[in-house]
Amino acid sequence: MIRDANRFDPSQYQPEHFLWSYSEGVATITLNIPDRKNPLTFQSYAELRDLFRDLVYIDDVKAVVMTGAGENFCSGGDVHDIIGPLTKMDMRGLLDFTRMTGDLVKAMRACPQPIIAAIDGICVGAGAIIAMSSDFRYGTERTKTGFLFTRVGLAGCDMGACAILPRIIGQGRAADLLYTGRMMSADEGERWGFFNRLVAPEDVLQTAQDMAHNLLQGPTFAHGITKTMLHQEWNMSIDQAIEAEAQAQAICMQTEDFTRAYNAFVAKEKPVFEGN
């Protein structure tokens, strides 16, 4: 956990259970157990949760790219490190675990930075949830996405899947995937709106990073407001949403970026945003 945001240097951060790189405002998180298709462990779940919670306070990080080492994104919870121990836990221990995994999704949604997932190969279980919880998703023609929970005797309602997935691909299509646990092909994922775009496997990470750097050229404070509104308005009526957006936009109108955009327009120049 990052103890002091004011002293945090993203170029020096060294997590224990995944890889991290940082360049010009963009952080790249790489799940890094390629010989097992990058499964999650108890430790990596918790470290990711804590990192995304802390990113709320880290101004130097403007966007986050999520990817997996090798030719796969993530194979979900590790069979031996997580699934086996879960079969021996009591209800209190199980609830602590399921709440902790759900807290990762809450932290991803709450951090102001846009999260761009670069998804190649296998993307299943909790890996599919991480992809689902990202703000942008780029896949490849060989990406296979599966919400496999029913295959191991569990409900499809894991880590917010029944709330978030229908909003991305629709209720009927979400029901198809969550009841059956079947794989969604890359083509289905693109047609259904799960993927923003499919690209060649060798290009997927660069495409995600290019999007991240492109977002950095915009008003990054306002991008954080956009992300907040996209998530918070799920629980609002239309009238409440309109009022919330009125307040949010008024806040953005007090930023220097708003003034910079106006001055650039008057001067017939391209605005240079600074995120304040």
Side-chain angles (χ1 to χ4, degrees):
M1 182 179 292
I2 300 165
R3 298 299 179 186
D4 188 346
N6 293 323
R7 298 181 180 179
F8 178 71
D9 182 351
S11 65
Q12 300 300 314
Y13 175 55
Q14 295 183 339
E16 294 184 39
H17 301 101
F18 46 85
L19 301 181
W20 167 278
S21 63
Y22 174 81
S23 176
E24 300 178 342
V26 175
T28 300
I29 297 169
T30 304
L31 303 176
N32 188 40
I33 312 178
D35 58 318
R36 289 186 282 161
K37 303 178 182 178
N38 307 314
L40 294 167
T41 65
F42 289 118
Q43 294 77 19
S44 61
Y45 264 124
E47 191 171 19
L48 284 168
R49 174 204 59 196
D50 292 344
L51 172 61
F52 280 109
R53 282 177 174 173
D54 289 336
L55 283 174
V56 172
Y57 308 102
I58 307 303
D59 292 336
D60 288 341
V61 177
K62 306 296 186 183
V64 178
V65 172
M66 289 282 299
T67 192
E71 298 182 348
N72 296 286
F73 184 68
C74 178
S75 57
D78 187 87
V79 172
H80 300 294
D81 289 349
I82 290 184
I83 307 302
L86 290 179
T87 64
K88 299 178 176 62
M89 285 186 187
D90 61 15
M91 179 56 71
R92 178 58 185 267
L94 293 170
L95 190 55
D96 286 345
F97 170 72
T98 54
R99 284 175 171 161
M100 184 265 287
T101 61
D103 281 345
L104 169 57
V105 173
K106 292 178 184 179
M108 291 176 69
R109 286 163 48 84
C111 77
Q113 296 88 347
I115 302 169
I116 304 103
I119 306 162
D120 191 21
I122 293 298
C123 173
V124 299
I129 297 290
I130 288 175
M132 176 195 75
S133 303
S134 300
D135 300 289
F136 299 84
R137 289 167 293 277
Y138 295 101
T140 77
E141 66 272 10
R142 65 188 184 191
T143 302
K144 296 181 179 179
T145 308
F147 298 82
L148 307 181
F149 310 112
T150 58
R151 293 194 187 185
V152 295
L154 299 177
C157 58
D158 200 49
M159 299 170 68
C162 285
I164 300 173
L165 189 61
R167 288 176 164 90
I168 299 172
I169 65 174
Q171 186 82 5
R173 289 165 175 166
D176 177 7
L177 298 179
L178 296 177
Y179 275 110
T180 68
R182 73 170 181 85
M183 290 293 192
M184 175 176 63
S185 69
D187 178 65
E188 283 178 317
E190 184 181 38
R191 285 189 289 108
W192 292 358
F194 188 81
F195 294 115
N196 294 85
R197 183 151 51 99
L198 298 180
V199 298
E202 62 271 20
D203 296 332
V204 67
L205 178 57
Q206 188 61 56
T207 299
Q209 290 176 333
D210 287 347
M211 170 56 79
H213 284 286
N214 181 58
L215 291 170
L216 262 60
Q217 303 308 308
T220 53
F221 175 84
H223 287 338
I225 295 292
T226 299
K227 177 170 180 174
T228 297
M229 289 295 97
L230 279 169
H231 291 303
Q232 289 187 356
E233 289 182 32
W234 287 7
N235 300 317
M236 298 179 187
S237 68
I238 297 298
D239 285 352
Q240 289 171 329
I242 290 171
E243 174 59 23
E245 291 190 5
Q247 295 180 26
Q249 204 70 300
I251 292 170
C252 291
M253 288 172 181
Q254 287 213 318
T255 64
E256 294 298 322
D257 275 347
F258 182 61
T259 303
R260 292 183 186 105
Y262 170 73
N263 291 336
F265 178 82
V266 171
K268 297 183 179 179
E269 297 173 348
K270 181 178 180 180
V272 178
F273 295 114
E274 298 183 20
N276 61 353

